[in-house]
Amino acid sequence: MRTGVWLVGARGSVATTSIVGALALRSGLTGPTGCVTELPDLRGPALPAFTDLVFGGHDVVTTPLTKRAEALATAGVLPGRLVTALPDELAAVEDELRPAPAGGSQAERAAAVVRDLTDFRRRHGLDRVVVVNVSATEPAARPHPGHADPGALAAALAGGDEVLPPSSLYAYAAVRAGCPYVDFTPSTGLRLPALAALAAECGIPYAGHDGKTGETLVKSVLAPMFAMRHLAVRSWSGVNLLGGGDGATLADPAANAAKVESKQRVLGETLGHVPQGGTRIEYVEALGDFKTAWDLVTFAGFLGTGMRMEFTWHGCDSALAAPLVLDLARLTAAAHAAGHTGPLTDLAFFFKDPLGASTHSLAEQWTRLCGFTRRLHAGGTDAAPR
């Protein structure tokens, strides 16, 4: 199943690492460590092979992909030997990257994205294209009457207003082009009534939001532990220090607030209450593409005896995120092929703020993901074929 992976933010660290990793896997230069779709419980015939993935994308910057890969290798994010071993493959992907449309109305920009997606699919004879947003985190979207329904949205986009934030404009274009959409960021994306209704009308599946790669991944394991042991969590405070482009973006208070809200949701929904404390995110340029998170949890046991737990997470954000981007592209493509439409709630395992999730427990999310992939491999679907 030849599958296009169209990356919004294609020259960023996560996208570049995803592309280099996929090319290395295709060439047999590395193993699939970190790719959960290569675990025995998920691997199977319904998923497109790494050799079937074809990459393209948009970005507002123009730095050549090879230069981005070389910079990440210098920073210790990916092995330099892979960059030197894949010059032709990286050049081929470079040819498929396009500048993000600018100017004109949002309707005109969306039409330009649709053309790029359609041309990409036709040029490579692809069965489908999955659009994955790995661009910078946005502030929360400002309300607009056009968000209410598809008709109001179409009319509003033709005017001069900035009706949709960039993530939602790409989601709109993806749906109009018949492409499944994955939002790996905490940005608004498809979480607007008009876009959800449009996706339902067009029979398009979508997934999101905010890839679960570090501190929140640990929270999704520990919070259910406290709940199942009936221990009273009194406070949960975290400090996140990160560099790179993501850290620079999150230095903006509005973008920071959107990210913090996504990270905190797991605690309230798992514990049944919001404990005292919060999460603070700080930009430390010297950390580059690496991040450190420190958490302090205070809790009470039998007879009110007070106790505490601390953990520290050191990780490379791009190396943690990239294999999940590949997993989500493969799973979403398989879901589209099987006729699934609407939010792919069984992919909650991958996200901090998953669409329609009934649980934030990683173990329970894993069980649902395994069941979902088993049905895909068996040729089943939860939706009527399109």
Side-chain angles (χ1 to χ4, degrees), residues 179-274:
C179 300
Y181 178 81
V182 177
D183 203 333
F184 202 75
T185 80
S187 301
T188 304
L190 244 156
R191 282 183 295 188
L192 294 173
L195 294 177
L198 185 64
E201 288 177 10
C202 297
I204 298 298
Y206 54 94
H209 290 83
D210 203 2
K212 187 161 56 184
T213 59
E215 179 201 31
T216 311
L217 177 66
V218 180
K219 284 181 176 178
S220 69
V221 176
L222 293 180
M225 176 196 74
F226 285 110
M228 287 186 287
R229 284 296 304 271
H230 202 191
L231 298 169
V233 176
R234 292 172 168 168
S235 69
W236 197 312
S237 300
V239 177
N240 288 242
L241 308 176
L242 66 161
D246 196 28
T249 298
L250 294 176
D252 173 69
N256 194 300
K259 184 75 171 181
V260 168
E261 182 181 358
S262 173
K263 289 172 71 65
Q264 286 294 92
R265 190 165 285 118
V266 62
L267 294 180
E269 296 184 8
T270 302
L271 299 173
H273 71 284
V274 178

Side-chain angles (χ1 to χ4, degrees), residues 84-384:
T84 57
L86 298 166
D88 295 338
E89 292 85 351
L90 286 169
V93 177
E94 178 70 37
D95 288 342
E96 299 300 332
L97 303 187
R98 302 290 181 267
S105 69
Q106 286 203 309
E108 291 169 331
R109 276 175 264 158
V113 174
V114 170
R115 286 194 298 273
D116 284 342
L117 292 170
T118 303
D119 290 347
F120 178 61
R121 181 167 52 208
R122 290 174 179 166
R123 190 161 57 250
H124 292 281
L126 303 171
D127 296 295
R128 57 192 39 81
V129 177
V130 179
V131 176
V132 185
N133 181 26
V134 286
S135 62
T137 298
E138 302 165 352
R142 290 178 293 181
H144 190 284
H147 297 168
D149 61 74
L153 179 60
L157 289 174
D161 291 347
E162 291 294 297
V163 181
L164 296 176
S167 64
S168 298
L169 190 64
Y170 271 101
Y172 173 78
V175 172
R176 292 292 302 273
C179 300
Y181 178 81
V182 177
D183 203 333
F184 202 75
T185 80
S187 301
T188 304
L190 244 156
R191 282 183 295 188
L192 294 173
L195 294 177
L198 185 64
E201 288 177 10
C202 297
I204 298 298
Y206 54 94
H209 290 83
D210 203 2
K212 187 161 56 184
T213 59
E215 179 201 31
T216 311
L217 177 66
V218 180
K219 284 181 176 178
S220 69
V221 176
L222 293 180
M225 176 196 74
F226 285 110
M228 287 186 287
R229 284 296 304 271
H230 202 191
L231 298 169
V233 176
R234 292 172 168 168
S235 69
W236 197 312
S237 300
V239 177
N240 288 242
L241 308 176
L242 66 161
D246 196 28
T249 298
L250 294 176
D252 173 69
N256 194 300
K259 184 75 171 181
V260 168
E261 182 181 358
S262 173
K263 289 172 71 65
Q264 286 294 92
R265 190 165 285 118
V266 62
L267 294 180
E269 296 184 8
T270 302
L271 299 173
H273 71 284
V274 178
Q276 184 182 1
T279 297
R280 190 170 81 247
I281 302 175
E282 295 184 8
Y283 174 46
V284 181
E285 184 179 3
L287 290 177
D289 203 59
F290 289 76
K291 62 183 181 183
T292 294
W294 172 79
D295 278 48
L296 170 64
V297 186
T298 64
F299 61 98
F302 191 50
L303 307 180
T305 303
M307 291 168 269
R308 60 190 284 169
M309 176 184 182
E310 299 176 47
F311 70 84
T312 305
W313 175 276
H314 301 283
C316 176
D317 205 36
S318 296
L320 291 165
L324 304 186
V325 169
L326 302 180
D327 288 330
L328 285 162
R330 299 175 77 198
L331 287 162
T332 306
H336 188 224
H340 288 263
T341 64
L344 298 174
T345 58
D346 290 323
L347 301 188
F349 176 84
F350 295 97
F351 299 106
K352 296 182 182 74
D353 185 16
L355 294 166
S358 59
T359 176
H360 282 273
S361 165
L362 193 71
E364 293 180 39
Q365 290 174 343
W366 172 253
T367 299
R368 292 195 58 169
L369 177 62
C370 290
F372 177 71
T373 54
R374 280 196 298 271
R375 294 192 296 275
L376 288 176
H377 295 316
T381 177
D382 294 332

Side-chain angles (χ1 to χ4, degrees), residues 9-12 16 57-69 93-95 97-102:
R11 300 183 190 277
T16 302
H58 283 119
D59 209 319
V60 296
V61 301
T62 58
T63 306
L65 186 62
T66 299
K67 294 296 183 184
R68 291 290 295 123
V93 177
E94 178 70 37
D95 288 342
L97 303 187
R98 302 290 181 267

